[in-house]
Amino acid sequence: MPHLPNRRWRRRVPAAVAAAAATVLLVSPASAVTPQAAAPAGPAGQAADLGRLAGEETSVVEVLLADTAELDRLVATGVDLDHEVSRTETGIVAHAVVTPNEAASLKAMGYRLGEVLFRPEDSANRVAEREATITQHAAENRAFTATLAADPDASDVKIIRADYYTSGTSQILSVEAKWAQGQTSTSALTVARDSGPGTAIGSGGTQTISRFVDAGVYLYHRGASTVTTRPDRIQITSPTGDVATATVKEWLPIPADDPEGAGYQKDFVASYLTPTELYARIRQLAAAYPGLAEIVELPYKTNGYRRKAQTVLGTANASRVAVDSHAWGHEGGNDIAVTLADPGAANRPLAVTVTGTEIRVDLATNAAGTVTSTAAQVVAALNAEAGSLVQAYTYRGSTGTGVVAPAARTALTDGLRAPASVSRDPHPVYAIRIGKTRDGSKPGVLAYAQEHAREWVPPLVTIETAERLLRNYAHDGRTKQLLNNLDIWIAPSINPDGGHYSFYDFNSQRKNMTNHCALTGSADALSRNSWGVDNNRNYTEYSLFDGYSGASDSCTSGTYAGPSELSEPENKNLDWLASRSNIKFSMNLHSSGNYFMWSPGAYTDAGRVSAPRPTLAEESFFWGASSRILTAIKRHRNMAVTPARTGPISDVLYSAAGNSGDMLWYKYGIYAWNFEVGTSFQPTWDEAHAETMEFSNGLVELMRVAHDFANDRQRPESTLAVKPSSTPGMVNVTFEATEPAAVFYTLGGTTPTYSSTLYASAGIREGGETLTVPAGTTVQWFSVDAAGNVENNYTPNGTAKNFRKGSAVLPTS
């Protein structure tokens, strides 16, 4: 029996439970606070604004916790948590992403902090490392071009590799070459082959190799094709007429049990990629393989990498004046400036003068020439006289009774630093759809990444996987099998706005960029690094709005769930993707922690009432498929995702109300997994590259799981095991099956159907339950696997008779 979309699973928490949970879970937007000191809260109490300041950078620090209850209280504060939770002999260690002021707030609340694991300079080093890599690639291209200028007889095409190998009965030739004009021209290169020693070039046929560009820099042309005879030499004639030849070499043999096979092409990423670059890569791939892939623009554009230009004038809360432009910063807001001037004379009235985009406020003075204008008065005057350009307001709900201090000309700014190549408009979100048949008739698989902006490795896993699938199709039989029989959707960046902000402005950005804070709260410029919705808390199932734990209603919290379910375009896009009726499997790629997880992902704070657990059969299927995927990950460098980090989200990590995996599982019936890649958001490139390779292994294996599931025609077999019970006259009964399967059973002789009792789990992370029944009880049952194959081809309609039968009798010795 396949798992079916089951909306009845979505239940609101009973009112009493929700009310109890709300006392700990719900977070109110911050009221007026002095930015250097967050509102305190005890470790057992309510969440508060922890005080992230606009100018502060973040570090990842250990939080040392006594037990799970204290972990739940930490989550309820709304602190920005990494996905690392380690259980030790002395307690629990969680990782928090905090500024110095937030760290001080946590200490004031009674939490113990341990080591600093990741510092601001580490993120800066990753960006510098990426830029150095791109610069190096560009320099190599210039050096190649320089050799041509120095030697007029040199060819403008250089063959790097020409490798021949066999895969089963297939013969394959893989070629890599560099062309001097590859940076600017999208042309493919044509490779002509001979058919063995002494034969003519071209006698063995031709093949094309396509251009490979990473982060906007051309690296080489690359491709592989099947051949009918082993070539001895190849020749490439560039579009400009230059010629290069090379001798073909034999590639190393590959073990017969390697699922990738001989000549399997991989390793297609060379640096971190911004969302703009990620989208460019999938467009490049779709253009190169139009028969196998297409780009799909998802229906909802994001808010965009854009902000209003802002400033906050003054230092004391009661006398501060916040000013926001009406226009977006890049559309004129950044041109506005405000001056608060002391007129230098007695008994002057408050006056505002607007000259173009220059706003001058002459403050009122008394008979002694002392400035008397309050923040509230200046706000009113600005809105009255300069209201077409700006909106002014007092600081975070203050009554504005403090006297304003004069301020020199202050330019409003949106604070955004990305280059002009990053669009400031509402941003389309793109997916690449891969498969020979893309009409919804084939089983669908969905992979998506960068719900959390700062997680830079997961998008690379999606790109590497898309490259592997498309570039191996022509010559690798198993890859061809996948693309011929699956409909694969890959969305490399669900949250492009936050992704760009993380690269260019604030490395630790977790959320999108939308500012939902009220003017009486934290909407001013001093909170600009705290805005946004946690896209992995804004979905529809078992959310904050249902009374579940692990999300916040504070607009500055790291786990802000937004104003309502699916309020964000990023989330609506994923909901649209998941609603494709043929999608049966999904992978949500996050970092970090080396976890591998599935539903349930949330529980209530009061009583830890979990979202419904999968059935024993479904849980068994999750575990069985996971073992295949994790084995593929381990193949790259023997890195193991441990059993303690494998399982339902709420079992191995913490509650995450409103996460996407729960929506896909409970709302749409999709077998939905969650990677937590590596041990850092932005590791060194060598580590990021290794993580990309190993988790791409796992993602491709998910495709194989989906293919095998769709083609599963094997019917399960099940048996009844009877053992002694400690209760007189009773025996213990369990069921065993040859594969993950649901068992429906009756006691006492009635015919089993899908309405009969479903054999359940014995408990969290345990096997099947033990039934204690009277000795001699008649047991009748049937099993059905995850693909819907029913044991004995039984039809469970109440009239068929070929179900399994047994008696609860101890076996004779």
Side-chain angles (χ1 to χ4, degrees):
M1 180 188 66
H3 175 73
L4 300 175
N6 194 347
R7 293 177 184 271
R8 68 181 173 83
W9 268 9
R10 185 175 188 218
R11 300 190 181 97
R12 300 284 173 180
V13 179
V17 176
T23 61
V24 175
L25 178 63
L26 301 182
V27 185
S28 299
S31 58
V33 294
T34 302
Q36 288 78 17
Q46 276 64 27
D49 183 347
L50 296 176
R52 175 172 291 185
L53 305 182
E56 289 188 301
E57 294 181 300
T58 60
S59 298
V60 179
V61 301
E62 292 179 334
V63 184
L64 311 178
L65 306 163
D67 51 28
T68 300
E70 191 172 11
L71 172 62
D72 288 344
R73 289 194 292 272
L74 178 67
V75 171
T77 67
V79 66
D80 187 354
L81 288 178
D82 188 351
H83 303 130
E84 170 68 30
V85 174
S86 299
R87 287 164 172 80
T88 68
E89 293 181 359
T90 59
I92 296 174
V93 180
H95 293 177
V97 184
V98 292
T99 66
N101 199 52
E102 289 176 310
S105 297
L106 287 175
K107 289 179 180 178
M109 295 164 67
Y111 291 102
R112 294 179 299 137
L113 304 187
E115 293 185 26
V116 178
L117 305 172
F118 193 85
R119 292 173 169 81
E121 54 266 30
D122 295 322
S123 288
N125 289 341
R126 299 296 80 76
V127 175
E129 187 177 55
R130 162 187 143 87
E131 296 305 320
T133 300
I134 294 171
T135 300
Q136 178 186 348
H137 292 159
E140 290 170 355
N141 288 343
R142 289 193 298 271
F144 180 36
T145 303
T147 62
L148 301 178
D151 182 2
D153 296 326
S155 173
D156 68 355
V157 61
K158 178 173 65 175
I159 298 173
I160 302 170
R161 306 186 61 88
D163 297 307
Y164 167 85
Y165 51 86
T166 59
S167 178
T169 59
S170 297
Q171 303 176 77
I172 300 164
L173 177 66
S174 174
V175 179
E176 295 177 10
K178 198 174 188 75
W179 180 37
Q181 297 187 30
Q183 181 65 41
T184 55
S185 175
T186 60
S187 298
L189 298 178
T190 300
V191 180
R193 312 179 294 255
D194 68 13
S195 52
T199 61
I201 290 289
S203 63
T206 62
Q207 65 193 73
T208 60
I209 56 177
S210 57
R211 176 174 174 262
F212 178 48
V213 175
D214 185 83
V217 179
Y218 167 69
L219 299 181
Y220 46 74
H221 280 65
R222 184 181 191 183
S225 181
T226 55
V227 297
T228 55
T229 59
R230 186 202 186 285
D232 180 57
R233 293 181 66 76
I234 63 167
Q235 177 178 293
I236 298 176
T237 302
S238 78
T240 56
D242 284 1
V243 177
T245 60
T247 301
V248 175
K249 296 182 178 180
E250 192 104 14
W251 185 242
L252 298 174
I254 302 295
D257 61 350
D258 191 324
E260 294 174 349
Y264 187 86
Q265 294 189 54
K266 55 186 179 182
D267 198 353
F268 293 98
V269 295
S271 70
Y272 285 122
L273 299 172
T274 69
T276 293
E277 293 163 348
L278 293 167
Y279 292 154
R281 280 290 288 273
I282 61 173
R283 281 194 292 268
Q284 173 192 342
L285 269 176
Y289 298 92
L292 295 173
E294 62 187 288
I295 296 299
V296 178
E297 180 179 332
L298 304 186
Y300 301 95
K301 291 184 178 180
T302 68
N303 183 62
Y305 176 80
R306 58 182 184 174
R307 282 182 171 168
K308 302 298 177 71
Q310 297 180 295
T311 190
V312 176
L313 303 170
T315 56
N317 289 356
S319 59
R320 277 178 161 164
V321 174
V323 185
D324 298 354
S325 64
H326 289 306
W328 297 106
H330 67 288
E331 293 178 342
N334 290 336
D335 299 328
I336 299 171
V338 177
T339 302
L340 302 182
D342 182 345
N347 296 317
R348 299 302 297 268
L350 175 63
V352 175
T353 305
V354 179
T355 305
T357 57
E358 295 290 325
I359 303 172
R360 178 184 173 90
V361 180
D362 287 301
L363 301 171
T365 58
N366 60 17
T370 303
V371 170
T372 60
S373 295
T374 65
Q377 291 168 341
V378 171
V379 163
L382 280 169
N383 288 332
E385 302 299 328
S388 62
L389 288 178
V390 298
Q391 178 179 34
Y393 49 98
T394 57
Y395 183 71
R396 302 192 183 182
S398 167
T399 56
T401 56
V403 174
V404 172
R409 180 184 182 276
T410 303
L412 275 63
T413 177
D414 62 10
L416 300 178
R417 296 178 293 190
S421 58
V422 174
S423 170
R424 265 62 173 178
D425 295 326
H427 209 301
V429 179
Y430 298 101
I432 184 170
R433 189 178 187 182
I434 299 172
K436 189 67 176 176
T437 302
R438 303 185 300 277
D439 59 4
S441 62
K442 300 291 185 180
V445 184
L446 168 63
Y448 57 102
Q450 208 167 46
E451 282 185 317
H452 291 155
R454 64 194 176 203
E455 298 169 7
W456 294 358
V457 178
L460 302 183
V461 178
T462 67
I463 292 296
E464 173 70 18
T465 301
E467 294 269 5
R468 291 185 186 186
L469 293 173
L470 291 168
R471 295 188 185 274
N472 286 296
Y473 176 84
H475 60 272
D476 181 71
R478 294 197 69 182
T479 301
K480 180 172 290 187
Q481 189 179 59
L482 295 179
L483 270 62
N484 284 349
N485 293 283
L486 294 176
D487 185 4
I488 299 166
W489 295 75
I490 295 177
S493 178
I494 288 292
N495 176 16
D497 299 346
H500 285 126
Y501 195 72
S502 176
F503 264 95
Y504 295 110
D505 302 287
F506 183 59
N507 293 123
S508 294
Q509 180 74 7
R510 171 186 173 98
K511 304 179 287 182
N512 68 10
M513 284 181 61
T514 305
N515 180 3
H516 286 290
C517 294
L519 295 182
T520 54
S522 299
D524 57 83
L526 298 185
S527 284
R528 63 180 177 269
N529 287 339
S530 298
W531 297 329
V533 173
D534 181 346
N535 289 126
N536 205 30
R537 299 295 187 274
N538 187 241
Y539 295 102
T540 60
E541 309 304 300
Y542 303 99
S543 72
L544 168 75
F545 307 97
D546 297 334
Y548 282 76
S549 178
S552 170
D553 72 351
S554 168
C555 65
T556 58
S557 168
T559 56
Y560 177 46
S564 62
E565 293 173 347
L566 293 184
S567 63
E568 306 308 292
E570 297 90 348
N571 297 78
K572 292 175 181 176
N573 280 329
L574 186 65
D575 184 60
W576 181 87
L577 282 168
S579 68
R580 307 305 89 200
S581 60
N582 65 322
I583 292 180
K584 305 300 180 188
F585 295 88
S586 75
M587 185 68 71
N588 181 12
L589 291 101
H590 281 270
S591 63
S592 59
N594 283 328
Y595 287 91
F596 192 49
M597 303 179 290
W598 55 87
S599 293
Y603 48 77
T604 63
D605 202 44
R608 292 177 65 91
V609 178
S610 174
R613 303 192 69 84
T615 66
L616 176 63
E618 292 163 345
E619 187 91 5
S620 297
F621 184 82
F622 273 121
W623 279 103
S626 298
S627 67
R628 288 182 54 177
I629 294 167
L630 297 180
T631 297
I633 291 171
K634 189 175 180 180
R635 188 182 304 117
H636 178 71
R637 56 170 178 173
N638 205 35
M639 195 283 294
V641 177
T642 65
R645 291 172 183 256
T646 303
I649 299 166
S650 56
D651 292 353
V652 301
L653 193 57
Y654 44 68
S655 182
N659 71 83
S660 60
D662 278 353
M663 184 181 77
L664 269 60
W665 172 247
Y666 294 110
K667 184 176 181 180
Y668 292 113
I670 297 169
Y671 277 100
W673 281 271
N674 186 108
F675 278 152
E676 293 287 353
V677 176
T679 57
S680 172
F681 298 131
Q682 297 146 20
T684 61
W685 176 247
D686 286 347
E687 175 62 23
H689 177 264
E691 292 170 6
T692 300
M693 295 303 108
E694 62 198 359
F695 279 88
S696 182
N697 282 358
L699 190 52
V700 172
E701 188 63 27
L702 173 64
M703 311 300 173
R704 297 185 183 121
V705 167
H707 174 268
D708 294 348
F709 178 91
N711 292 278
D712 181 6
R713 302 294 181 267
Q714 181 70 39
R715 301 186 184 280
E717 298 177 4
S718 59
T719 56
L720 185 72
V722 183
K723 295 182 178 180
S725 168
S726 59
T727 304
M730 308 292 279
V731 292
N732 291 333
V733 172
T734 56
F735 295 97
E736 297 177 357
T738 54
E739 61 175 292
V743 176
F744 295 87
Y745 68 91
T746 64
L747 304 175
T750 56
T751 300
T753 68
Y754 283 131
S755 298
S756 300
T757 304
L758 176 63
Y759 186 55
S761 169
I764 296 175
R765 301 172 71 80
E766 297 183 38
E769 65 182 324
T770 297
L771 308 175
T772 301
V773 301
T777 297
T778 298
V779 183
Q780 299 186 155
W781 76 94
F782 68 94
S783 63
V784 54
D785 67 16
N789 299 307
V790 182
E791 187 172 10
N792 286 346
N793 201 26
Y794 172 61
T795 302
N797 59 6
T799 61
K801 301 299 182 184
N802 57 327
F803 48 80
R804 299 297 312 278
K805 305 178 182 69
S807 182
V809 176
L810 290 172
T812 57
S813 57

